[in-house]
């Protein structure tokens, strides 16, 4: 059987030298670095309850995302398992959303998993340094991340041996 899951929460971590920024209710995610050399990292999480409480065998996992804009050429984007819980708050950044919006209580920001309450252990998010999957992206279109690393992540999340906190999109930050 094929099971399709929709994102239950998402957001972008915006590095800044000013007030904390967020975008938990927006439509877009960002990963990489801006023209002003500020890093962006996307967060995605899924409701796994349709898979829970059943004896299942996972044979493949694929994440499919649409890139709607890019100022770079071909870039490798890694998908890393997030290691701690995070929030979305109520920020819905305006415009193209790349600049974020003022963080609201519960927002994931560059420094906080839940703004003004719970800091990340490491600025920019707590995530596995080893990518579970990666994909080369270039221009507007659909891209997929797949592989054994995502299967292992999902199996660990369902077994309770890994937190169910989703994945972080990590782009080229140089």
């Amino acid at each position: 059987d094929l099971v399709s899951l929709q994102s239950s929460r998402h957001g972008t971590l915006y590095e800044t030298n000013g007030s904390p920024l967020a975008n938990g209710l927006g439509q877009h995610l960002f990963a990489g670095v801006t023209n002003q050399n500020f890093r962006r990292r996307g967060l995605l999480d899924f409701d796994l309850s349709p898979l829970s409480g059943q004896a299942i065998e996972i044979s493949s996992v694929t994440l499919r995302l649409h890139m709607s804009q890019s100022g770079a050429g071909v870039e490798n984007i890694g998908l890393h398992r997030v290691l701690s819980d995070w929030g979305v708050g109520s920020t819905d950044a305006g415009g193209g959303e790349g600049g974020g919006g003022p963080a609201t209580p519960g927002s994931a920001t560059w420094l906080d998993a839940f703004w003004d309450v719970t800091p990340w252990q490491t600025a920019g998010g707590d995530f596995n340094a080893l990518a579970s999957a990666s994909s080369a992206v270039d221009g507007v279109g659909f891209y997929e991340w797949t592989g054994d690393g995502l299967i292992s992540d999902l199996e660990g999340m369902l077994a309770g041996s890994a937190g169910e906190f989703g994945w972080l999109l990590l782009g080229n930050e140089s």
Side-chain angles (χ1 to χ4, degrees), residues 21-104:
L21 300 173
N23 191 27
L25 298 182
Q27 296 181 21
H28 304 286
L29 297 173
F30 297 86
V33 66
T34 68
N35 292 335
Q36 296 80 31
N37 290 318
F38 289 114
R39 294 174 285 179
R40 304 289 188 253
R41 297 175 179 169
L43 293 168
L44 285 166
D45 194 19
F46 298 86
D47 176 10
L48 302 180
S49 62
L51 304 175
S52 298
Q54 305 175 48
I56 62 172
E57 180 181 327
I58 301 170
S59 59
S60 69
V61 176
T62 301
L63 172 68
R64 186 171 195 235
L65 296 174
H66 183 265
M67 181 157 55
S68 58
Q69 63 180 345
S70 175
V74 178
E75 293 290 345
N76 195 40
I77 306 292
L79 192 61
H80 300 255
R81 189 171 55 82
V82 178
L83 303 176
S84 55
D85 200 9
W86 51 275
V88 295
S90 61
T91 302
D92 188 352
E97 302 179 8
T104 57

